[in-house]
Amino acid sequence: MGTPFLEWAVAARPLRGEAVSGDQHLVAGFPGGVLVAVIDGLGHGPSAEAAARAAIEVLKEEPARPVADLMARCDTALGRLRGVVMSLASFEVTTASMSWIGVGNVEAELIRCLTGQAVLRERLLLWGGIVGQSPGRLRPATLKMVRGDVIVFTTDGIAADFLSETFLAKVRSGESTEELANHVLERHAQERDDALVLVARYRGALE
């Protein structure tokens, strides 16, 4: 799957015995950019899914807004629901930048493949709290992007050791985002929770 600015794919599964998952995602384009969100509704099952989808509906309304504003809007909207943890990344192609922010434990990693096959990684700084329970004032981080940069979002149903040399070698070799996402889910999903991984590769502006 893709937008004019991103190649992306998601792989996910609910907790065994559940028909639905509280781990949800959104990729929403807007003029000159795209918003990526991964949301984990607290717990699992229908109530967790309902909270995550409520956050998605808020994000879909104005995806071009700053990520801190979007997080605040979700916090207000989810006040009567179970609450979620979530991470957002907004890509602005005109400035070749990404602003990202996270509350809770939806991890996000930026992987840059440099010359000579070196890899530089940067992890999203996550703020404590729950969206829907007033996590407080949050500050996003903004990074410059280079074509080919890969961002990986994982919920806590994915084991933290997925960033192995095997995975990084697949990134360096240019495997598709679908192949990368499926690799992580198949080998690192845990049985105790819903699981979701979203992989996005930055394409930059169209020539």
Side-chain angles (χ1 to χ4, degrees):
M1 291 178 280
T3 75
F5 316 119
L6 288 182
E7 172 203 348
W8 65 275
V10 64
R13 60 137 185 81
L15 177 70
R16 181 175 297 178
E18 294 286 353
V20 297
S21 174
D23 291 359
Q24 300 291 328
H25 74 283
L26 172 70
V27 179
F30 56 85
V34 59
L35 174 71
V36 177
V38 172
I39 304 109
D40 182 353
L42 299 186
H44 49 82
S47 295
E49 182 197 34
R53 291 199 176 278
I56 287 173
E57 290 305 310
V58 174
L59 297 172
K60 286 165 61 176
E61 291 175 358
E62 295 185 80
R65 294 187 67 87
V67 290
D69 289 356
L70 291 171
M71 194 71 79
R73 287 180 169 218
C74 288
D75 183 63
T76 299
L78 294 175
R80 295 184 179 182
L81 296 175
R82 178 175 291 195
V84 304
V85 293
M86 60 191 288
S87 290
L88 308 175
S90 183
F91 298 85
E92 293 278 355
V93 177
T94 55
T95 58
S97 64
M98 172 186 69
S99 294
W100 59 353
I101 193 170
V103 172
N105 58 358
V106 175
E107 302 282 350
E109 293 262 1
L110 170 64
I111 304 169
R112 302 186 193 269
C113 295
L114 309 176
T115 57
Q117 297 296 295
V119 171
L120 177 66
R121 290 166 42 197
E122 184 153 356
R123 176 174 290 180
L124 172 63
L125 174 63
L126 297 170
W127 296 80
I130 296 169
V131 181
Q133 299 180 17
S134 300
R137 187 174 181 180
L138 309 172
R139 293 182 181 177
T142 300
L143 304 174
K144 281 293 185 181
M145 299 297 293
V146 176
R147 183 175 298 185
D149 286 350
V150 171
I151 299 87
V152 185
F153 295 84
T154 54
T155 63
D156 62 350
I158 300 292
D161 61 357
F162 82 89
L163 273 173
S164 63
E165 181 54 39
T166 298
F167 178 78
L168 295 176
K170 289 177 177 290
V171 173
R172 286 193 295 263
S173 68
E175 287 198 12
S176 71
T177 54
E178 182 178 8
E179 291 169 322
L180 294 171
N182 287 336
H183 169 87
V184 172
L185 185 72
E186 291 168 4
R187 291 163 177 77
H188 299 281
Q190 304 183 89
E191 294 297 324
R192 59 179 174 79
D193 204 352
D194 303 324
L196 183 149
V197 53
L198 188 151
V199 181
R201 179 176 283 115
Y202 182 67
R203 291 175 171 170
L206 296 179
E207 297 179 350

